[in-house]
Amino acid sequence: MHRFKKLRAISRKLRIKKAQGKTLKEIYQSKLVTSLDPLKLPLLMLHTWLSFGTIGYMMLSDGNFIDSIYMTVITIGTIGFGEVVQGSQTPQGRIFSTFLAISGIGVFTTSVTVIIRTILVGDIPRLVKMLMVLSRIEKLERHVIVCGFNRSSLWLIKALTSRKVNTVLVDGRENSIKAAKEAEIELFIPEEPYKKIALKSAGIERASYLVSLFEEEEKNMAVIAIARLLRPNRSEFTIIATAPSEGSAHKLQELGANVVVVPDKLLANRIFSHVLHNTGAYISDLFDKIAYGEEAELGVVELNIEANSALINKKLKDLDFRRIYGVTIIGIKRLDGTLEISISGETQLEQGDTLLLLGRPKNLEKVLSLYQSITK
C-alpha cells in the first residue's frame, strides 16, 4: 500500500512537471480537447443510428447507399419526404422504418441538442478564439507588449495602432478582461503578465518593447523582473514602466526598466510648458503632440551615428535629407551631451552624434531603415 501511494505521488509530480513545460497554446489546446469530451457520447449514438439505418435500408434496396442514408436522415430527423428507398413500402420495410423512427428520433434530437449546447454555450468558442489570437501573435515581430489594462494603456494601444504598430495586451484580472473585450482589443492574452508562460506567448523573444502600466508598484516590479530575465539585453529590448514617485522610478530602473515615467511629474511639466510659453501656445502644443504621438502627420526621431556608420565625417550638405526624403535635421546631440541647433550645410558629423529628425512618419522610417543598415 505504501509503495502504491509513493508511485501515485511520483506520477502526480511528473504530470505537474509536464504541464509546467507546456506553452500557453498547448494548454488551451488541451482545454479545447477536454471541452469536446461531452460530444463523444452523442456523436457515437448519432453515428450508430445513422449506420444502423443506412445498412438496414441498403439491405432492403439491394445496396443503394445514397438513397439509404438519405432515407435514414429524413426518418430520424422527422423530415419525412416520403419513402424514397425501394423495398421500404413492403411490410418488412415499414416495420423497419417504424422501429428506426421510434428509437432514432429520440437519439437524434437528444444528440443534436447536446452538440449545439456544447458548442454554443460552453467554452469552445472562447478557446477557439484564443487559439486564433495566439496563432496571430506567433507571426508578429518587433511588436509592443502592453501589460495591465486601464485608460492609459487603451490610449497607448490606439495611438500605436494608428501608426500601424502591432500591440499585444496581457492582463489576467477579471475586470480588465471584461473591459478589454468591451474595448474590442484584438490581440489580448487574459493571463497574468508576471508569469513566464504569458510573456512567452505574447512573443517577448521577438518583441521590441514591453510597457508595464499597472497602478500597483509591486506588479510592475514583478513584470519587469520576469521580462528582463527573459530578455536581459537592455539595448535590444526596451522596458517602459510607470511609477508613483521618483524613488519608485529609481527602483524600477535598477530592476531592469529602460525608461520609467512618473505620471504626476509628467503632467506638471506639460502644464508648466503651457504656462511658460503662453505666447507661443500653438508651437508648444504642436511639439507636445509630436512628442506624445498625438500628431499623426509629423514625427521626431533620433538617428544614432554608431561606429562604422557611413555618416561619419559627412557634411549635412552631402546628405540633403530635406530634398531627397522630405526630412529636416533640427539639431545634433554631440557625444559630450551638448545640443547644436545652429547647424548649416558645412556642419560635419562625428561618431557618437545623434541626429534629431523632423518629418512625416513614413519618410522618417525610410531614413532610419536606410542609414541604420549602411556602414563603411
Side-chain angles (χ1 to χ4, degrees), residues 19-302:
Q20 290 176 343
K22 287 184 177 180
T23 64
L24 191 59
K25 187 174 183 180
E26 289 172 341
I27 291 175
Y28 276 99
Q29 288 172 340
S30 299
K31 289 182 178 180
L32 179 61
V33 172
T34 303
S35 299
L36 293 173
D37 283 343
L39 298 179
K40 291 180 179 178
L41 182 59
L43 287 173
L44 177 62
M45 294 173 61
L46 194 60
H47 178 268
T48 300
W49 253 255
L50 284 173
S51 300
F52 173 71
T54 302
I55 293 172
Y57 283 124
M58 286 179 67
M59 294 174 65
L60 292 171
S61 62
D62 296 328
N64 191 326
F65 174 75
I66 299 298
D67 287 346
S68 296
I69 192 171
Y70 175 73
M71 184 71 181
T72 303
V73 171
I74 65 174
T75 300
I76 65 176
T78 68
I79 300 173
F81 284 142
E83 298 169 331
V84 297
V85 174
Q86 294 181 0
S88 60
Q89 301 92 346
T90 63
Q92 296 89 341
R94 290 182 176 177
I95 291 173
F96 178 77
S97 296
T98 301
F99 173 77
L100 182 64
I102 294 174
S103 59
I105 289 174
V107 172
F108 178 81
T109 54
T110 302
S111 300
V112 171
T113 301
V114 172
I115 292 170
I116 293 175
R117 185 177 67 242
T118 302
I119 293 176
L120 298 182
V121 180
D123 288 336
I124 294 177
R126 180 183 65 85
L127 294 172
V128 171
K129 184 178 179 181
M130 193 64 224
L131 287 171
M132 293 173 64
V133 168
L134 292 173
S135 296
R136 288 180 59 187
I137 294 174
E138 288 177 346
K139 301 176 183 178
L140 297 181
E141 291 183 355
R142 303 181 66 183
H143 56 287
V144 179
I145 300 173
V146 180
C147 301
F149 184 76
N150 48 41
R151 286 181 297 180
S152 297
S153 55
L154 179 59
W155 290 336
L156 174 63
I157 291 171
K158 287 183 177 180
L160 291 173
T161 303
S162 67
R163 293 294 183 93
K164 297 182 179 179
V165 177
N166 292 314
T167 59
V168 178
L169 174 65
V170 186
D171 195 338
R173 297 173 296 180
E174 289 296 330
N175 58 338
S176 298
I177 294 174
K178 182 179 179 181
K181 289 180 179 179
E182 293 175 353
E184 298 181 350
I185 304 296
E186 292 186 7
L187 300 181
F188 172 52
I189 298 178
E191 299 287 340
E192 298 295 349
Y194 41 80
K195 296 179 180 178
K196 287 184 180 180
I197 190 172
L199 292 182
K200 286 184 176 181
S201 298
I204 191 171
E205 294 90 351
R206 305 179 307 277
S208 296
Y209 294 87
L210 181 142
V211 184
S212 185
L213 295 175
F214 284 106
E215 293 84 359
E216 302 89 345
E217 181 182 353
E218 296 78 10
K219 290 187 177 180
N220 283 332
M221 292 178 67
V223 171
I224 293 170
I226 296 298
R228 190 52 72 195
L229 182 66
L230 296 173
R231 294 289 301 272
N233 194 324
R234 288 180 180 241
S235 61
E236 294 180 356
F237 183 69
T238 302
I239 298 177
I240 304 172
T242 56
S245 65
E246 290 188 351
S248 298
H250 183 67
K251 291 180 184 177
L252 296 181
Q253 286 177 328
E254 287 185 337
L255 197 59
N258 298 72
V259 180
V260 180
V261 178
V262 181
D264 292 341
K265 181 181 178 181
L266 186 65
L267 176 62
N269 286 339
R270 193 161 185 182
I271 294 174
F272 172 76
S273 69
H274 283 280
V275 174
L276 189 65
H277 305 292
N278 188 41
T279 55
Y282 173 77
I283 295 176
S284 177
D285 191 55
L286 176 63
F287 275 94
D288 277 347
K289 287 182 177 180
I290 293 173
Y292 297 116
E294 299 171 9
E295 178 58 58
E297 296 299 320
L298 286 175
V300 176
V301 298
E302 299 178 5

